[in-house]
Amino acid sequence: MNISGSYIKGVLLVLLSALCFSISGTLQALAPEGSNPFIITEMRMIIGALFLYFWCRAFKKLPHSYKDLPWKSLFICAIFLLIGQLCFFTGMANIGVAAGAVISIGSAPIFAAIISRIFFKISPPKAWYAATFLAIAGVALINGGDLNQSRLFFILILLTDGLTYAAYINFSSKLGDKLDSDAAVMLILAIIAVALSPVLFIFPISWTYSSLNGILVCLALGIFTGGMAFAFLTSGARLVSPAVASTLCLAEPLGAVCWGIFLLKEDASFTTLLGITSVLLSIIVLIFFAKETKKPSNPKAQEIPQIQSSSTITDV
């Protein structure tokens, strides 16, 4: 069993991203009255982009020239995330968190494997199948395994969220060596913030600055679930296959349940604890039994199809 240091680093980075993402539900629960999911998302994008700007500036990670950056790839990654955000909130509002999480988060690893195989000629390691089964089963158990309230249209909406999330993981990992991963995420979040800016004139925003609680919630959402989470995810996705990365992201519901138990004093049922154990087992399988995927012999298979600029985008 040969496990490289870069693979372990990638696994840890993706797990850190899942940990950061997992606290978003708790932070929304702690947000002041009058908070809105769309304003929360916009604050998350704005503050996340600003945090990463100062981070990149402090550590000299900002690009020397913005002219030759892979803008087409950056915009496509931003579109994936933006569509995913809108589908996520729409589906969750009509189906509920329990069923929605199983459909949205659970479908992402499957879509990631399909996209990797079709566009990049990369097949997932054999252990991925067992790990994905354990992780999806665990997410279903964590959420009670209840899909009875689902409706076809909103199932498709949530599947679209899983698809766009998987696509982001695939394509963001191929952004190239001209751009540091932190700087790439900074630009992607900034693009989304600009695209979503009209919501600032549609929904009330006074709760974001009128109380210390609102300010702290926005800062935590932007720094931890925005800037840090997406930066960890994008960096980690460059070191492991997209299929493995998306399966590791299923640790997010596990983290959300743990935050709920320890911070919000929520009860933990036997099925919830069983689900947590199943997700943990899937992570162990990926760490110790998922061999790294070999690069395709044709280097062009690693390039992002249909979104190349004049400069070559390589796998980092």
Side-chain angles (χ1 to χ4, degrees), residues 159-200:
L159 286 174
T160 302
D161 175 42
L163 174 61
T164 55
Y165 190 57
Y168 172 80
I169 291 175
N170 271 277
F171 288 98
S172 66
S173 66
K174 308 291 186 293
L175 277 173
D177 57 1
K178 284 191 174 182
L179 190 58
D180 180 86
S181 61
D182 292 344
V185 176
M186 173 197 74
L187 293 170
I188 290 170
L189 297 189
I191 292 169
I192 297 174
V194 173
L196 274 181
S197 59
V199 303
L200 296 173

Side-chain angles (χ1 to χ4, degrees), residues 19 23 26 30 254-268 272-273 276:
L19 178 64
I23 201 172
T26 301
L30 297 173
L254 182 153
V257 169
C258 292
W259 290 119
I261 292 172
F262 294 113
L263 294 182
L264 302 179
K265 308 301 180 183
E266 295 178 350
D267 294 329
T272 298
L273 295 176
I276 291 173

Side-chain angles (χ1 to χ4, degrees), residues 97-143:
V97 176
V102 177
I103 299 168
S104 176
I105 302 173
S107 66
I110 299 170
F111 283 128
I114 293 172
I115 292 171
S116 292
R117 187 69 188 90
I118 293 175
F119 292 103
F120 304 109
K121 311 303 179 187
I122 300 175
S123 299
K126 292 180 179 179
W128 172 85
Y129 296 95
T132 299
F133 173 79
L134 286 170
I136 294 175
V139 172
L141 288 169
I142 286 171
N143 290 284

